[in-house]
Amino acid sequence: MSIANLVILMVFPVTMAFAASSDLMTMRISNRLILLLGLAFCLAAFLMDMPLRDFGIHFAIAIAVLVAGFTLFTFGWVGGGDAKLAAAASLWLGLGHTLPFLIYAALLGGALTLGILALRHLPLPQALVKVSWIDRLHDKKSGVPYGIALAVAGMIVYTDTSIFAHFAS
């Protein structure tokens, strides 16, 4: 495996992990990360000579996920960064893997939400009150860093994609 293949292979999991940690620490997912995922996908598709039809299908799936994500955002159920991250991940995953990704994300996100809500009913140890991100996570008025569930779900499915298979060989 060449260094270039390894770099392309690692863009998705590293970027998703960074998005998850950023969401946990700051409750924000940078638009730069979303842009990086999109541009890296275009580069990967070009380098693997992805047929234009398949490229279009990947984009159509991502747009559909973005529309669905922003619909959920308008109801206050997910953050805007979460909606964009789900769409960018779907761009990489394509038609056959986006539905499993979304199912994993829903299940993991539900478990994450229930866990955080349960922990918010417990008193926070005094030593942790001084840690801003833990205090924010414990705050009942704060949201849930759903980017964590999206990242884990994406990494579960990613190894089954054509992009992974192409660059891992």
Side-chain angles (χ1 to χ4, degrees), residues 41 45-46 48-58 162:
F41 167 78
F46 174 77
M48 67 184 280
D49 292 325
M50 181 181 282
L52 188 56
R53 178 184 173 278
D54 293 350
F55 187 79
I57 290 171
H58 278 254
S162 61

Side-chain angles (χ1 to χ4, degrees), residues 9 12-14 16-17 20 89 92-93 96-109 111 147-162 164-165:
L9 192 64
F12 182 82
V14 168
M16 293 297 282
W92 279 79
L93 303 174
H97 300 95
T98 295
L99 184 59
F101 160 69
L102 294 173
I103 291 169
Y104 281 125
L107 294 172
L108 293 166
I148 296 169
L150 293 170
V152 173
M155 287 187 231
I156 289 170
V157 177
Y158 176 59
T159 57
D160 294 331
T161 66
S162 61
F164 184 87

Side-chain angles (χ1 to χ4, degrees), residues 34-139:
I34 305 305
L35 184 60
L36 174 64
L37 276 173
L39 292 174
F41 167 78
C42 291
L43 177 63
F46 174 77
L47 291 175
M48 67 184 280
D49 292 325
M50 181 181 282
L52 188 56
R53 178 184 173 278
D54 293 350
F55 187 79
I57 290 171
H58 278 254
F59 263 92
I61 296 293
I63 289 169
V65 170
L66 185 64
V67 168
F70 272 107
T71 300
L72 297 174
F73 172 73
T74 61
F75 290 110
W77 296 340
V78 298
D82 301 324
K84 292 180 278 187
L85 182 63
S90 296
L91 186 60
W92 279 79
L93 303 174
L95 182 63
H97 300 95
T98 295
L99 184 59
F101 160 69
L102 294 173
I103 291 169
Y104 281 125
L107 294 172
L108 293 166
L112 176 68
T113 300
L114 291 174
I116 288 174
L117 291 176
L119 287 173
R120 286 179 179 168
H121 289 288
L122 300 173
L124 194 58
Q126 193 59 35
L128 296 180
V129 171
K130 297 174 186 171
V131 182
S132 63
W133 69 271
I134 292 176
D135 190 44
R136 181 175 41 254
L137 195 60
H138 193 260
D139 184 356

